[in-house]
Structure formats: C-alpha cells, structure tokens
Amino acid sequence: MQHIEFFTYTDARLWGIRVDGSDLRVHAADATRPLWLQEKSPYERTPEGTEDFLFHQYAGMMESDLREPVDHFLGNAAPDLRHAPTDATAVLGCHCGIWDCWPLFTRITATAETVTWSAFHQPFRPAWGDLAIGPFVFPRPVYESALTHAVHFAEDPLTALPPSDMAGGT
C-alpha cells in the first residue's frame, strides 16, 4: 500500500497531494512527458522549458472549489468536480487557477479498509487514455487522518525545490 499526504499552500489554500513522498504533480509530469514530446508542444522549445512546463502544468485544487475537502477526496465530489463519463474526481487543476481549464482526474474508490486512486486521465487529451500513474491503494484510516490533518505551507512546496529534485520523483 502507498502512503498519502495532503497539504495546503498559499493564501488561496490550494490542496496538494504527495504519494510516497512525491508531489502528485511530479507523478503527472513523469506520466505526461512522453505524451507531450509526441505532440511537440509549443512549450517545448528547450529542454529546460519542457521541464518547467511539465512540472507546472498542474496546481492544487482551491479549497473554495472543493467545498468539503474530506468528502471530495473520499470520492464524493460535487457534480461539477466530476468527470461524468468516467465517474472520476478532479484531484489537480490548471496552474492558471481555473481548475477545469486543465484538470487531472482519477477514480476514487473507498471501502471500509482502503481508498484506491486509479484510471488517472486528462479529459482534454482522450487519445492519451489512462495515464501511467498508479493505481494507488491507501489504508483508509491513515488516508482519513492525512486528509483531516493537512499541513499548510506559505508557498508552493514544489516551486521551493531545485529543478534537479523535481525530476524523476516517481
């Protein structure tokens, strides 16, 4: 089973996630790197620009959007934060601050013993299919404790890392 940490950052109270010590945005960067390279995105002009784009394509979800973070991250998100065709929940939003501009969705399945995140996908790139992230299985009591005891950071902990510490986080 994996270990999860929830945290908030900045005055906007963005909700971030670490799985096994790595920011979920690092997992997403690693999973989407080969897909973006195939598309030859305009953001990929230099290797440094590519990496900057990959690690900053997503941001945490604003607490005001989540309404009830505990319910949200247990798979009971508000209808506007779900991807209806896949019954998935938004866990990261766009770096621009509008979550649904570039969301990362995952299916959250909660049982009495575990919480599982699976089938991560980016709805604006259906050709990508499910991303090579997870599935992650967390013990439910530890998951709920992490969720109700989120640590707050004044700034985004991912931007505080040197670039060499961001790469290869999974």
Side-chain angles (χ1 to χ4, degrees):
M1 287 198 196
Q2 282 75 42
H3 175 75
I4 193 163
E5 300 168 72
F6 291 94
F7 59 91
T8 60
Y9 60 98
T10 73
D11 292 340
R13 301 221 25 119
L14 296 167
W15 277 73
I17 302 136
R18 289 188 188 120
V19 176
D20 293 337
S22 292
D23 195 297
L24 185 58
R25 294 169 293 174
V26 173
H27 290 277
D30 290 344
T32 59
R33 183 178 289 107
L35 301 167
W36 279 117
L37 291 175
Q38 288 174 2
E39 290 188 14
K40 301 202 183 295
S41 166
Y43 294 102
E44 299 166 356
R45 297 181 184 173
T46 66
E48 296 80 17
T50 298
E51 291 304 301
D52 184 62
F53 169 75
L54 288 168
F55 288 106
H56 297 99
Q57 63 185 312
Y58 290 108
M61 298 287 294
M62 274 199 260
E63 189 168 79
S64 59
D65 287 332
L66 297 177
R67 295 179 198 105
E68 294 293 332
V70 172
D71 287 341
H72 180 89
F73 288 111
L74 281 171
N76 300 315
D80 60 324
L81 294 168
R82 300 186 69 75
H83 187 241
T86 61
D87 195 34
T89 300
V91 290
L92 291 176
C94 184
H95 75 282
C96 76
I98 301 170
W99 78 267
D100 55 347
C101 177
W102 188 252
L104 179 67
F105 284 96
T106 189
R107 187 172 301 119
I108 299 175
T109 307
T111 69
E113 296 83 28
T114 62
V115 178
T116 302
W117 289 16
S118 61
F120 285 84
H121 68 278
Q122 172 35 257
F124 299 122
R125 292 294 192 277
W128 287 2
D130 287 350
L131 298 173
I133 305 173
F136 301 129
V137 181
F138 311 103
R140 184 160 179 166
V142 175
Y143 183 97
E144 287 185 1
S145 178
L147 189 52
T148 57
H149 296 94
V151 175
H152 181 72
F153 297 102
E155 62 182 288
D156 183 348
L158 186 62
T159 60
L161 291 174
S164 61
D165 287 350
M166 285 191 257
T170 59

